[in-house]
Amino acid sequence: MGRVILVTGGARSGKSCFAEQLIAGLGQEIAYIATARAFDAEMEDRIAKHRVQRPASWQTHETPTNPSQVVAAEGNRVDGLLLDCLTVMITNRILSHAIDWDRPPIAQLGEIETDILGEINTLLKAAANSRADLVAVTNEVGYGIVPISPLSRFFRDCAGRVNQRMAAAADDVYLVVSGIPMQIKGAGSR
C-alpha cells in the first residue's frame, strides 16, 4: 500500500512546485493527474506553464472530474501519482450539476456534496489498493472572509470538508506558505 501525502496552501504559495519535488523523489515512473480545463486564454497559459515545469517523461492524465479512475488504473504500474489539484476537481464536479445558484435548494447542495465526497472516498480506496504513493495538491480556502454568493460559500465549505477528509486519511500533510513547506502531520512533524 502506497502512502497518501496531502500538500495544501494558498493560491500561488508554491504547492505544485513542492509536490513535484516530493513526487520526483519517489521513482522514475510518475503519473501526473491534471484536473484543470482550459476554458479561456488565461487557463490555457496556466496549464502550459505547469506542463513546462514538470519532466516530459511523466505520463499526464487529464481527468477533470474522476481522478480516482487514474489512481485505480495506474497505481500498481507506476512509482508515484501526483494529483493537481483537488480544488479544481471540486469546481469541475460542482459545475457539472444543473442548479440555480441564486437560490440553490438545500437538498440539491447535499446531493452535490455527497457526489464530491463519494469521489474522494473512491480516490482514497484506490490509493489504499495501490503500491504507488499519491501526492495530492489542494488549496486552503478557509482563511478568508465568508463569501457573499451561495456558489462561493458552497465551494469553500465543500473544499474544506474534502481537505479535512484527505488530511485525516493522509500519512503526511504539508502546508506551503510563501514557498516554504511545513510538515503538519506525519513522521517529521512537530
Side-chain angles (χ1 to χ4, degrees):
M1 177 174 109
R3 296 177 322 137
V4 174
I5 302 166
L6 184 66
V7 178
T8 189
R12 293 286 168 246
S13 63
K15 303 178 302 290
S16 293
C17 185
F18 175 68
E20 290 168 2
Q21 291 170 4
L22 278 176
I23 203 79
L26 297 179
Q28 296 297 314
E29 295 290 324
I30 303 298
Y32 183 93
I33 307 167
T35 60
R37 290 180 171 156
F39 288 119
D40 56 26
E42 179 199 357
M43 202 60 184
E44 288 174 5
D45 183 61
R46 286 175 179 260
I47 291 169
K49 286 177 180 170
H50 270 271
R51 282 184 182 137
V52 168
Q53 73 186 35
R54 64 182 179 255
S57 62
W58 291 4
Q59 304 158 27
T60 299
H61 301 268
E62 294 184 8
T63 312
T65 57
N66 295 302
S68 64
Q69 293 175 348
V70 177
V71 174
E74 299 292 323
N76 288 314
R77 199 186 65 69
V78 298
D79 300 315
L81 301 146
L82 174 53
L83 169 55
D84 196 357
C85 96
L86 287 169
T87 42
V88 172
M89 184 275 299
I90 292 166
T91 300
N92 293 335
R93 286 185 84 100
I94 288 172
L95 296 178
S96 72
H97 294 269
I99 185 170
D100 176 5
W101 284 109
D102 291 327
R103 293 176 198 80
I106 300 301
Q108 198 171 4
L109 293 177
E111 291 169 8
I112 295 169
E113 186 167 330
T114 297
D115 168 61
I116 292 165
L117 290 172
E119 172 60 17
I120 295 304
N121 289 335
T122 303
L123 173 76
L124 290 170
K125 183 177 180 181
N129 293 323
S130 166
R131 72 168 178 81
D133 291 336
L134 170 66
V135 177
V137 177
T138 191
N139 287 283
E140 175 51 56
V141 296
Y143 289 148
I145 62 171
V146 176
I148 193 167
S149 77
L151 173 58
S152 298
R153 281 193 306 273
F154 178 73
F155 167 76
R156 186 229 25 209
D157 293 350
C158 192
R161 283 189 268 281
V162 164
N163 290 348
Q164 289 179 53
R165 175 71 181 101
M166 289 295 297
D171 299 286
D172 300 295
V173 179
Y174 292 89
L175 172 65
V176 182
V177 178
S178 300
I180 301 169
M182 298 173 283
Q183 189 168 13
I184 58 174
K185 180 182 177 183
S189 63
R190 293 183 181 142

